Amino acid sequence: ALAEQGALLALSDLNREGLDDTLAQLPAGARARSYILDVSDREAMFAHAIQVNVDFGTVHLLFNNAGTTLVGTLENQTIEEMQWLVNINLWGVLYGCKAFLPMLLEQGEGCIVNLSSVFGLIGYPTHSAYNITKFGVRGLTESLWSELAGTGVEAICVHPGGINTGFENRSRVAEKVGQRERLMLQLAPGLMQTTPAQCAREILAGIRRGKRRIVTGRHSNLLYWLPRLFPASYPRLIRSLMP
């Protein structure tokens, strides 16, 4: 969507296959460079920011959207499994912000777009570690709203829900699997209904309108309002919707 608007793109992914798939989707004539990057590696992220600055001269839009999930109750997840997820979903976003923020502040203009989730709005069963990371991204971004005031740099928190990217197929399941984990795995495919293209359009539209929070995807508005209308009782409502 950005390439169609003429943007210069610095695209990063953990593996070449993912990068090649993204590059193949770009329209003819798109100007892009690709980089292999593990966002959970602090030194790699800071080196990446330096290289992007060398290649492009600056950055105007930063999308911290690398992420995955871990299906498992807190009882069944190991500390090591949770650390793996936190390193990607939370530390990866923090590293991205820290690595690129100086150049944005120096030029007095830019936008940081951090991908949280609808599970950064509500606590959801079998996703406690994921909730930790996505609530953390939300908290980080909302603190930037105040810290960046008057700098010309904006921060946006995106809460997608049910986007059909194949995300659920790339997630990890706790090694110790119980009934609740199996139930969630059965439910997941039916929840992924919104296309990536639609999600991208809504995110870019929100950026243009100057929105600080963008909620997009299947049932996302419902999950946005549930904890606001029923802050103490919404978990019971969620349980009642599960078979």
Side-chain angles (χ1 to χ4, degrees):
L2 286 166
E4 290 172 353
Q5 298 176 28
L8 305 178
L9 304 175
L11 303 173
S12 62
D13 201 341
L14 183 62
N15 59 71
R16 174 52 57 185
E17 181 182 358
L19 278 171
D20 289 343
D21 180 59
T22 300
L23 291 168
Q25 297 179 53
L26 299 181
R31 293 170 293 176
R33 286 178 179 260
S34 61
Y35 307 83
I36 301 295
L37 176 66
D38 178 355
V39 299
S40 69
D41 184 330
R42 179 175 65 179
E43 292 184 1
M45 178 65 83
F46 279 78
H48 176 60
I50 292 171
Q51 187 61 54
V52 169
N53 197 12
V54 169
D55 292 342
F56 290 87
T58 189
V59 166
H60 297 283
L61 282 171
L62 169 66
F63 292 86
N64 286 311
N65 69 330
T68 185
T69 193
L70 171 66
V71 179
T73 62
L74 184 61
E75 177 186 8
N76 288 343
Q77 295 173 90
T78 66
I79 293 295
E80 291 74 19
E81 288 171 330
M82 297 176 76
Q83 285 177 330
W84 166 80
L85 187 69
V86 171
N87 286 342
I88 298 169
N89 285 13
L90 184 54
W91 280 109
V93 172
L94 182 57
Y95 294 155
C97 289
K98 286 290 288 182
F100 284 92
L101 182 59
M103 70 178 79
L104 299 178
L105 290 173
E106 183 178 359
Q107 69 193 15
E109 184 273 328
C111 185
I112 298 171
V113 184
N114 289 334
L115 273 288
S116 176
S117 166
V118 289
F119 288 178
L121 300 169
I122 64 165
Y124 201 83
T126 72
H127 280 70
S128 54
Y130 186 73
N131 283 137
I132 290 169
T133 65
K134 294 306 184 178
F135 270 85
V137 170
R138 174 187 171 187
L140 167 64
T141 311
E142 291 185 11
S143 71
L144 290 175
W145 292 350
S146 299
E147 292 184 10
L148 297 177
T151 67
V153 180
E154 301 291 337
I156 296 173
C157 194
V158 181
H159 297 276
I163 313 301
N164 187 19
T165 61
F167 181 79
E168 72 281 5
N169 298 323
R170 297 187 297 272
S171 64
R172 282 192 185 180
V173 182
E175 186 173 343
K176 183 180 178 182
V177 178
Q179 182 179 358
R180 300 185 79 178
E181 286 83 2
R182 285 190 287 269
L183 174 60
M184 178 50 59
L185 292 173
Q186 293 172 3
L187 290 175
L191 299 175
M192 308 298 176
Q193 299 293 324
T194 302
T195 66
Q198 180 181 343
C199 178
R201 285 194 298 270
E202 293 179 3
I203 291 174
L204 295 181
I207 293 172
R208 286 193 296 270
R209 292 199 299 268
K211 296 183 68 174
R212 286 180 164 178
R213 189 188 314 281
I214 299 170
V215 181
T216 177
R218 181 177 172 84
H219 301 318
S220 57
N221 284 320
L222 170 64
L223 297 180
Y224 174 80
W225 284 108
L226 264 182
R228 284 158 175 75
L229 297 175
F230 309 101
S233 60
Y234 81 81
R236 186 168 64 249
L237 295 173
I238 291 174
R239 289 197 305 271
S240 70
L241 295 174
M242 301 181 71

